[in-house]
Amino acid sequence: MKHPIYDLTYPGWAIFIAAMCLCAVGVLCLIAAQGPADPLAGAGLKQLAFVITSLAAGVLVLAVGYQRLGRFAYAIFAVGLLLLVLLAAARAVEGLPLIRPIKQTYRWISLPFISIQPSEIMKVAFVIGLAWYLRHKENVRQFKTLIGPLALTVIPMLLVLLQPDLGTALLLLPVLFVMLFAAGARLKHFAIVAALALLCMPAFWVRMKPYQKERIAGLLLQYDSIKQTVIEKPEQWEWLCPDGASSARRWEQDAGYQLIGSLGALGNGGLSGRGWKQGTYVRFSALLPARHNDFIFAIIGEQWGFVGCVGVLSCYMVIIIAGLEIATRTADPFGRLLAVGVVALLATQTIINVGMTLGLTPITGINLPFVSSGGSSSVANFVLIALLINVSQNRPFLLARKPFENTEADYAGVG
Amino acid sequence: MFEERLRIVLIVLVTCWLIVVLRLFQLQVVQADYYQQRAQQRLVKSSKPLEPIRGRILDRLGGVLASDEPAWAISLHYRILTSDPDYHQQLATELTGNADFLQRHARRILRARPISNPDHRLVDDLAGDLERGIDGAWVKDEIEGLWQFLAQLFGGETVDDLSRRADEITRVFARWKADHVKRHHLSEAQARKPQIREENQCHAIIAGLNHQQRLYAQRLLRQRYGWLVDLGAVEITDSSRRVYHHAECLAHVVGRLRQVTPADIDPDVRRLRDTPESGVHRDGGYTERDLIGESGVERMCEQRLRGERGSLTIYRDDRPPRRIDAVMGRDVELTVDYDLQLEVYRLLGDSVAELPEVPGGSVVVLDIPTRQVLALVSYPAFDPNQYRRRYPELSRDVRSFPLHFRAVYRQYEPGSIMKPLTVLAAHSAGLINEQTIHECRGRLFPDSPAARFRCWIPARGNQPIHHGLINSEQAIKGSCNVFCFWLGDLFRQSGGSRAMGVQQMCEWMVIFGIGRSTGIGLREEKRGIRPTPSYLQSIKGRAVHISDARNYSIGQGEIQVTPIQAANLVAIYASGVYRPVSLLKDQNRRPVKLPIEDSVWRIIRRGMYQVVNESGGTARLSARLDHPQYALCGKSGSAQTSRWITQYRVDYQDGDQQKSVIIQANNASFARSEFTRLYPELKQRIVDLTPAGYWPTHAADGREHSHAWFVAFIQPKGPSGLPDWNAQPRVAIAVLLEFGGSGGRTSGPLCRDVAELIINQFPQYVDPQAPLTWGFNETPNL
């Protein structure tokens, strides 16, 4: 029996309500963050419009059904890749229509009324494509067939890296690993891949731009004691701070400015927060520049304090637990992998974003799902949870009519 | 299996969730106070320092010796200093862009740089011509003219001087910019544009203009380069400068300022200043542009003079700006009388000019009861307002050392002015008494063929001249060496060993302030040398010799004092009270009565009276003062010393040959640095340095070179015309002439002139009744 579209199922409702709460928090933050002559003016309403558009997109996905989408998985993936290639081409060829660099990065395709961010489309396409590929047992158990998914990951990663957008590129790796893990890949294959990744690390480090290194250095420089040793003995820290003492000394005004601002905002919130629209960092955008998207969690923290932060994080936990619940209840391999992928994607984004706000992970351009402003990401996130809900709407017995591509028995003996 | 793996995924995610929540707890609950405080600080948008005015330095009567005066500077735009062609182009565009503006300036520009014949045409046409003629190259020419104009404005400077100064200014900011460009990964095209604030500001190129100079410069600039002034490329900016109103005579005492160095800047303060949002300008801290006292009272009273920096804080929210006014520096009142100082400086200058061998000298006048300095003169000196310009020549004068503050910085053998001390010490130690007499037969060992330990009176022909049988009073009057040698021997004998004898003498020297600071507070002050046995061992590397006690008892050997110590010494002779010397009116030091009986003091005071006033006194002929009310009591000193080195021969290797060159220097390391300055490429080739020139130039022909001392105090006379020993003497004078020869003959007259000057023109300082001197009526705290 298939649930009708309007029956979201219990975990589905939980996910939907949690997501809507997060959206509400986001809109409130954007309204609070806009000052009197602020370029953010109207950002809150705009975001509300995005949310409504995204809801429509979600309904569309529910209507179409994830299995039908699955059949077009590779096509969707190809479209995503194509858009990324276009962006990459824009770097090489000056004056391509619709694509303009913003802050020297090529991330957006500007259409007449709206700009879209192909990397957001790619995220969705990647999860669907990977789930579609991994639903076959034989694709998972042998190493040579794992090269496929690796390629599926690495190609979009490289294209996103070219934008350059290190954060989004690195986002795909954890999702791949979680999905492979859930799909039942052998642990020794993981070990091989991990070893390869470790071997690539030095090359990767060398290729990194100074500002990217600076962001990683920021994880250490935020502590005064470490900063002092860098200033005193720059030669020992040259691998981390090529500029040595001078960059460390100016860290708070330079590379560390955002992190100092975000920690300051969170700390200023205290236990219960300063209140909506209140707080130093909320009111003065100069103190926390990217507070409407990347660092929105900081101003949540300043306005609603520890209590508010834990509330927001609990919403994500609800989505994660409900998502994993859906994955366990579903017997359809594509559906369950899709569910795991969606959960992994949302969870990784959340952890990286919140982590960077708290100074636990390097600063990247990854925003907070459902909360940060942005049309493309909002639509993408709603499409993702719509897929999740859609999976939950398909009961196991419905699948029983079709032959299993991958049965419980196939997992036996592996662990 | 699938569930198993999902559980692992869930566990990992929950763990991450917990880590995040813990970190949040740390930030928002544990460290909340810290961050809330920080948030308050970050509400400060900008904080601008408000500079205080440095306190004045006043003399005893309130005359201003040094003060901050308003001053002006001609400043040029940074991009003129760097002669940036883009900026020239920009100026050209700005000049021609506004027709009214161009028209306003057209006639003046054309008058200076005719394009065609301007007199027969209308201004409109001219502006048109001009407009066509103005481009970047034209502006460049115009600015080259501006440099010429500025160099000639006040004369005495060349375009090279100015451009060197411009380089100094731009070098600093170029470094800042390079940092900025590197940090923000700017492209080359971006780096060519102005990136830091200083690149859009004007910087002082000719500073320290007074009011008249400013008006003059303003008028001429307006006339000739009015358009550059209007476009903000040339500015006349306000500043202040330290002006020294005294002539040379107080240069050393008042001292001077210098730019702060990184070492002066408290690193904590620098850190605070580096974070603009903290809004903290710690008042105690120096910034790179500050001036700090380098010498003299400017340095000694730096804290008091400096004042406190204020701040103007502007907030991000709607709070009104907070202004903390700068606290003006407090004035410092010296005890020095400017008029007296000036007169004494002239007298000393005249004496030095008369004596060809004397490179310089010093006179110190103290008020005895309070030990306030009335005059503290060093000669030669320099004009403090010209210091910077004349520094190279001043610092290289290795003969007369105009930069040395002789009165407190140079140390000399005291010679015979030490003898009263020796006599006092011997009496108090019970080695001799008033009845003790000793025979001087010209030498300590008259029967020995060796001519050592002679008395100072030379034998004339075969006629031995000596003091004969004398008591201690007569020993001082005649400055008998033999008597004092004998006292030195008595110290050695009573001490039980050579070292103990010297040690005992040194203990007496401490009481009289030799080898320790006079407490005047000047940072230049040297303490003199008190040759204790441990000093001899550690510095000179030798044990105490049998002759040491004898030499020290006549003020020769290693022992050295500064002129101010000599003045304090004679003040002690006159009063029996030790008291630290004061240069500031509010220095109030505790006097200490020395543990010596009055009768013993009388002996040396009578002796010193006889030196000047009785037949047989060493300075009776040269320093006698005839005055009905006051008598001069003094002691001469001719302190034997070695010559000064003034030149070095530097031998260096030039190819195969060894060459040499004469360098003016007073020590080897200065000679080395001078040589390196003159011949930088030969730095590594120096083979040897040997002294090649001396001052005085001739070698000692039979007689030794000696510094001439004369120390004296002015004692009121009684009705009988003899000194009234119950009256309190007021003024102590110490005179030193370097290489002056006989103290009685050269320094004595000068000392007499100074005493006369004080008695006649400054009677308030000698009158025992006049309560003019602060603290005179207080009894010493015994």
Side-chain angles (χ1 to χ4, degrees):
Chain A
M1 183 197 92
K2 187 173 177 177
H3 292 261
I5 282 180
Y6 52 83
D7 182 2
L8 297 184
T9 70
Y10 287 118
W13 274 114
I15 290 170
F16 177 72
I17 291 168
M20 288 314 290
C21 287
L22 291 172
C23 286
V25 168
V27 170
L28 285 177
C29 278
L30 288 171
I31 292 172
Q34 68 193 42
D38 199 310
L40 279 182
L45 291 177
K46 206 167 142 192
Q47 182 66 10
L48 202 58
F50 283 143
V51 171
I52 292 165
T53 316
S54 310
L55 280 174
V59 172
L60 195 68
V61 168
L62 285 184
V64 173
Y66 77 96
Q67 283 162 323
R68 217 166 295 160
L69 276 176
R71 272 173 230 138
F72 298 102
Y74 295 144
I76 296 170
F77 193 86
V79 170
L81 267 187
L82 185 70
L83 291 174
L84 288 178
V85 169
L86 268 179
L87 287 179
R91 279 182 75 82
V93 189
E94 285 280 322
L96 219 64
L98 306 180
I99 299 169
R100 277 190 303 275
I102 297 174
K103 293 185 195 163
Q104 291 178 326
T105 59
Y106 295 79
R107 291 184 191 173
W108 286 271
I109 295 178
S110 316
L111 296 176
F113 293 103
I114 194 168
S115 312
I116 57 169
Q117 207 177 342
S119 56
E120 295 291 339
I121 297 177
M122 193 63 231
K123 281 195 276 196
V124 179
F126 172 72
V127 172
I128 297 175
L130 204 59
W132 188 252
Y133 181 86
L134 293 177
R135 75 189 196 282
H136 295 294
K137 163 192 85 165
E138 58 272 26
N139 284 355
V140 178
R141 306 297 295 175
Q142 294 166 10
F143 190 72
K144 64 177 180 194
T145 49
L146 281 181
I147 292 167
L150 271 179
L152 277 184
T153 316
V154 170
I155 293 166
M157 252 180 76
L158 287 178
L159 287 170
V160 175
L161 263 181
L162 279 176
Q163 293 182 352
D165 184 355
L166 181 66
T168 309
L170 288 181
L171 190 60
L172 302 184
L173 276 180
V175 176
L176 169 73
F177 280 120
V178 171
M179 285 177 76
L180 280 176
F181 184 69
R186 288 179 198 275
L187 291 179
K188 73 174 180 193
H189 294 159
F190 275 109
I192 293 168
V193 172
L196 277 176
L198 273 179
L199 283 177
C200 291
M201 275 305 221
F204 194 64
W205 179 258
V206 171
R207 289 283 300 159
M208 255 161 67
K209 298 218 164 56
Y211 78 91
Q212 294 169 329
K213 284 188 188 174
E214 243 172 18
R215 287 175 174 182
I216 293 175
L219 292 182
L220 296 174
L221 290 177
Q222 61 179 303
Y223 304 104
D224 281 343
S225 52
I226 297 181
K227 199 172 79 185
Q228 273 307 312
T229 57
V230 176
I231 290 171
E232 280 156 20
K233 296 172 186 162
E235 64 283 353
Q236 289 181 11
W237 293 82
E238 213 174 350
W239 55 275
L240 187 64
C241 309
D243 288 349
S246 71
S247 74
R249 201 173 284 131
R250 294 202 42 90
W251 182 79
E252 284 187 14
Q253 287 101 63
D254 255 15
Y257 189 77
Q258 286 184 316
L259 181 54
I260 290 290
S262 106
L263 293 180
L266 284 165
N268 191 30
L271 184 66
S272 56
R274 308 261 118 192
W276 186 46
K277 286 187 174 181
Q278 302 299 313
T280 307
Y281 300 83
V282 176
R283 289 161 66 196
F284 303 105
S285 60
L287 299 177
L288 186 54
R291 68 207 207 284
H292 58 289
N293 46 37
D294 294 357
F295 281 93
I296 200 161
F297 192 69
I299 64 167
I300 293 175
E302 186 169 32
Q303 294 178 95
W304 296 292
F306 181 69
V307 175
C309 284
V310 172
V312 166
L313 290 174
S314 301
C315 288
Y316 287 109
M317 213 57 214
V318 165
I319 294 176
I320 288 166
I321 291 172
L324 292 178
E325 172 71 17
I326 290 169
T328 23
R329 281 205 204 160
T330 309
D332 172 18
F334 173 56
R336 60 163 55 156
L337 283 178
L338 192 61
V340 171
V342 168
V343 167
L345 188 59
L346 291 177
T348 314
Q349 283 195 61
T350 308
I351 289 166
I352 292 179
N353 179 280
V354 174
M356 84 185 188
T357 311
L358 296 172
L360 296 173
T361 55
I363 294 176
T364 55
I366 291 177
N367 57 20
L368 195 58
F370 305 109
V371 181
S372 291
S373 75
S376 300
S377 67
S378 176
V379 171
N381 290 328
F382 270 92
V383 167
L384 286 175
I385 59 164
L387 287 171
L388 207 53
I389 292 168
N390 195 234
V391 171
S392 77
Q393 287 173 332
N394 288 284
R395 289 287 161 175
F397 62 81
L398 187 76
L399 296 166
R401 278 192 266 139
K402 298 168 99 187
F404 270 105
E405 284 120 328
N406 197 357
T407 62
E408 283 296 319
D410 290 325
Y411 288 121
V414 182
Chain B
M1 151 74 205
F2 178 67
E3 281 78 9
E4 198 62 33
R5 290 203 164 182
L6 277 193
R7 190 167 297 136
I8 293 170
V9 170
L10 183 66
I11 288 168
V12 170
L13 291 177
V14 169
T15 313
C16 289
W17 193 88
L18 280 175
I19 291 171
V20 165
V21 169
L22 279 176
R23 171 75 171 149
L24 271 175
F25 185 78
Q26 184 200 10
L27 282 173
Q28 299 195 294
V29 180
V30 180
Q31 301 179 339
D33 288 345
Y34 166 75
Y35 282 109
Q36 278 161 16
Q37 214 176 330
R38 237 186 117 83
Q40 281 302 314
Q41 288 170 4
R42 297 199 68 170
L43 280 174
V44 172
K45 189 172 186 182
S46 70
S47 184
K48 191 176 90 175
L50 300 174
E51 301 297 336
I53 293 178
R54 195 175 173 87
R56 297 175 303 169
I57 298 176
L58 308 174
D59 88 334
R60 183 180 196 86
L61 302 172
V64 179
L65 303 178
S67 62
D68 268 8
E69 299 289 325
W72 289 269
I74 300 176
S75 306
L76 298 186
H77 196 279
Y78 181 84
R79 297 172 74 191
I80 288 187
L81 298 181
T82 54
S83 28
D84 181 350
D86 291 349
Y87 188 61
H88 296 159
Q89 193 54 53
Q90 185 187 327
L91 285 174
T93 322
E94 281 178 30
L95 177 57
T96 52
N98 183 335
D100 288 348
F101 184 76
L102 180 62
Q103 200 149 326
R104 199 150 18 101
H105 291 285
R107 190 179 281 281
R108 281 183 174 160
I109 293 171
L110 286 169
R111 194 174 293 150
R113 291 164 54 102
I115 286 177
S116 56
N117 181 5
D119 295 333
H120 307 293
R121 297 167 67 183
L122 293 170
V123 171
D124 282 8
D125 297 345
L126 297 177
D129 271 0
L130 198 54
E131 195 170 355
R132 278 186 291 281
I134 289 175
D135 54 6
W138 183 88
V139 173
K140 186 164 177 277
D141 286 351
E142 192 77 352
I143 283 170
E144 269 165 24
L146 174 68
W147 285 106
Q148 290 284 350
F149 171 86
L150 290 176
Q152 288 158 9
L153 192 58
F154 298 111
E157 284 191 298
T158 63
V159 176
D160 283 349
D161 290 341
L162 293 181
S163 55
R164 206 173 310 125
R165 207 167 306 150
D167 282 348
E168 276 170 31
I169 297 168
T170 52
R171 202 177 311 136
V172 176
F173 300 126
R175 205 165 49 228
W176 292 9
K177 182 179 182 176
D179 276 358
H180 178 86
V181 167
K182 194 169 158 206
R183 215 165 35 238
H184 293 272
H185 318 288
L186 300 178
S187 67
E188 262 180 53
Q190 283 170 314
R192 271 200 295 279
K193 294 192 185 116
Q195 291 291 347
I196 58 174
R197 193 177 16 162
E198 281 74 11
E199 285 182 281
N200 288 317
Q201 289 175 340
C202 289
H203 300 275
I205 193 85
I206 299 179
L209 305 184
N210 64 25
H211 187 59
Q212 278 137 351
Q213 287 172 318
R214 164 208 171 201
L215 291 176
Y216 174 72
Q218 212 165 25
R219 191 162 49 82
L220 288 191
L221 269 174
R222 277 235 152 266
Q223 260 175 25
R224 178 62 188 85
Y225 294 101
W227 68 278
L228 281 173
V229 177
D230 284 349
L231 291 178
V234 182
E235 270 180 10
I236 292 196
T237 45
D238 306 350
S239 65
S240 71
R241 63 183 182 135
R242 193 72 168 162
V243 177
Y244 297 101
H245 304 277
H246 55 81
E248 298 182 357
C249 68
L250 273 159
H252 294 117
V253 178
V254 171
R256 56 188 177 78
L257 301 174
R258 65 166 164 78
Q259 210 82 32
V260 297
T261 62
D264 299 319
I265 299 173
D266 182 351
D268 286 347
V269 177
R270 191 161 22 170
R271 191 168 51 76
L272 288 173
R273 239 169 14 82
D274 276 353
T275 48
E277 70 273 14
S278 69
V280 181
H281 281 284
R282 266 245 311 257
D283 298 325
Y286 290 92
T287 67
E288 282 85 350
R289 289 178 194 181
D290 281 349
L291 294 173
I292 187 172
E294 161 72 355
S295 64
V297 174
E298 292 275 28
R299 176 168 180 185
M300 172 180 165
C301 301
E302 170 68 16
Q303 285 311 314
R304 200 188 313 193
L305 288 165
R306 194 169 161 244
E308 279 176 41
R309 180 174 283 126
S311 62
L312 179 65
T313 312
I314 297 169
Y315 295 96
R316 291 180 197 277
D317 52 4
D318 41 11
R319 264 183 287 175
R322 190 169 57 120
R323 189 187 167 94
I324 300 172
D325 284 319
V327 179
M328 300 300 146
R330 280 180 293 151
D331 291 348
V332 170
E333 283 183 285
L334 303 188
T335 59
V336 172
D337 183 319
Y338 171 69
D339 297 323
L340 176 63
Q341 173 94 5
L342 183 62
E343 292 297 329
V344 173
Y345 183 77
R346 281 187 193 144
L347 288 174
L348 177 59
D350 292 346
S351 291
V352 172
E354 278 168 23
L355 301 162
E357 268 184 24
V358 176
S362 174
V363 177
V364 181
V365 180
L366 291 182
D367 180 71
I368 293 171
T370 58
R371 298 297 152 82
Q372 290 184 345
V373 176
L374 298 175
L376 192 61
V377 183
S378 291
Y379 186 92
F382 54 93
D383 180 351
N385 295 314
Q386 305 279 326
Y387 174 80
R388 262 192 80 158
R389 223 179 60 197
R390 293 193 51 214
Y391 178 77
E393 79 186 85
L394 293 173
S395 63
R396 297 205 176 88
D397 187 344
V398 293
R399 186 164 72 83
S400 48
F401 296 104
L403 294 181
H404 281 191
F405 194 173
R406 287 176 160 79
V408 298
Y409 176 73
R410 290 304 269 291
Q411 309 175 129
Y412 309 91
E413 295 82 356
S416 302
I417 63 170
M418 181 75 183
K419 283 174 185 162
L421 193 163
T422 313
V423 171
L424 286 167
H427 273 279
S428 299
L431 303 179
I432 54 173
N433 59 39
E434 286 172 60
Q435 279 78 45
T436 310
I437 50 171
H438 185 75
E439 187 181 15
C440 166
R441 286 164 61 192
R443 296 185 208 157
L444 183 60
F445 307 114
D447 306 326
S448 151
R452 298 180 65 203
F453 303 111
R454 284 186 301 170
C455 205
W456 66 274
I457 299 177
R460 254 181 238 135
N462 292 330
Q463 193 65 33
I465 294 179
H466 47 75
H467 293 102
L469 276 169
I470 49 171
N471 62 13
S472 31
E473 192 176 314
Q474 288 159 324
I476 287 171
K477 171 189 170 189
S479 197
C480 181
N481 285 355
V482 171
F483 191 88
C484 292
F485 289 147
W486 175 63
L487 293 183
D489 281 348
L490 289 183
F491 269 107
R492 178 166 50 80
Q493 285 155 17
S494 80
S497 69
R498 294 168 186 177
M500 282 314 292
V502 169
Q503 184 64 41
Q504 258 190 29
M505 292 178 72
C506 286
E507 276 160 20
W508 282 101
M509 291 183 210
V510 179
I511 295 174
F512 285 82
I514 293 172
R516 60 173 166 142
S517 161
T518 58
I520 192 169
L522 290 165
R523 303 289 288 273
E524 294 92 329
E525 192 191 13
K526 291 239 173 137
R527 293 155 155 235
I529 294 172
R530 186 174 64 240
T532 57
S534 60
Y535 168 87
L536 293 174
Q537 194 63 55
S538 59
I539 309 289
K540 297 286 171 184
R542 66 176 179 86
V544 179
H545 192 262
I546 189 162
S547 64
D548 282 339
R550 294 174 192 151
N551 278 333
Y552 298 157
S553 65
I554 62 161
Q556 294 289 155
E558 284 82 1
I559 181 168
Q560 288 192 333
V561 298
T562 59
I564 186 125
Q565 282 176 329
N568 203 16
L569 186 64
V570 70
I572 298 167
Y573 292 162
S575 64
V577 175
Y578 176 84
R579 192 171 191 181
V581 171
S582 306
L583 184 58
L584 308 182
K585 274 195 180 173
D586 51 8
Q587 280 171 321
N588 187 5
R589 263 65 182 277
R590 279 170 64 94
V592 181
K593 193 166 167 54
L594 299 195
I596 297 172
E597 285 183 25
D598 282 350
S599 59
V600 184
W601 288 114
R602 288 280 160 78
I603 293 169
I604 60 134
R605 286 174 203 161
R606 279 200 301 269
M608 287 173 75
Y609 172 75
Q610 289 163 12
V611 165
V612 186
N613 296 291
E614 283 188 10
S615 156
T618 54
R620 193 184 83 88
L621 298 173
S622 53
R624 190 180 160 78
L625 174 77
D626 287 314
H627 194 275
Q629 281 172 292
Y630 300 104
L632 192 64
C633 305
K635 181 76 199 77
S636 61
S638 312
Q640 290 174 9
T641 189
S642 47
R643 294 191 293 175
W644 292 347
I645 298 168
T646 54
Q647 288 179 343
Y648 272 84
R649 195 184 73 227
V650 182
D651 298 320
Y652 62 95
Q653 199 77 34
D654 188 8
D656 298 338
Q657 293 174 317
Q658 187 156 328
K659 293 184 179 174
S660 62
V661 64
I662 297 291
I663 297 283
Q664 306 284 325
N666 61 330
N667 59 48
S669 68
F670 184 55
R672 196 178 286 273
S673 74
E674 280 290 284
F675 180 79
T676 315
R677 185 179 64 84
L678 294 169
Y679 311 102
E681 71 282 2
L682 298 174
K683 186 183 176 187
Q684 306 300 330
R685 306 261 184 84
I686 297 176
V687 177
D688 196 15
L689 293 150
T690 30
Y694 296 91
W695 189 263
T697 45
H698 62 83
D701 45 353
R703 61 195 179 90
E704 306 289 334
H705 295 292
S706 52
H707 295 312
W709 282 103
F710 200 87
V711 296
F713 58 92
I714 298 173
Q715 183 72 31
K717 279 182 178 172
S720 62
L722 289 171
D724 172 11
W725 296 115
N726 292 319
Q728 171 72 279
R730 290 277 314 268
V731 167
I733 304 165
V735 174
L736 171 86
L737 292 171
E738 288 165 347
F739 298 113
S742 158
R745 275 202 297 275
T746 56
S747 293
L750 175 57
C751 185
R752 192 246 345 263
D753 292 346
V754 171
E756 255 173 1
L757 172 78
I758 295 169
I759 292 167
N760 295 331
Q761 292 184 33
F762 303 91
Q764 70 271 26
Y765 296 135
V766 276
D767 184 357
Q769 304 307 322
L772 271 180
T773 312
W774 171 89
F776 173 63
N777 287 326
E778 85 171 17
T779 44
N781 194 351
L782 306 177

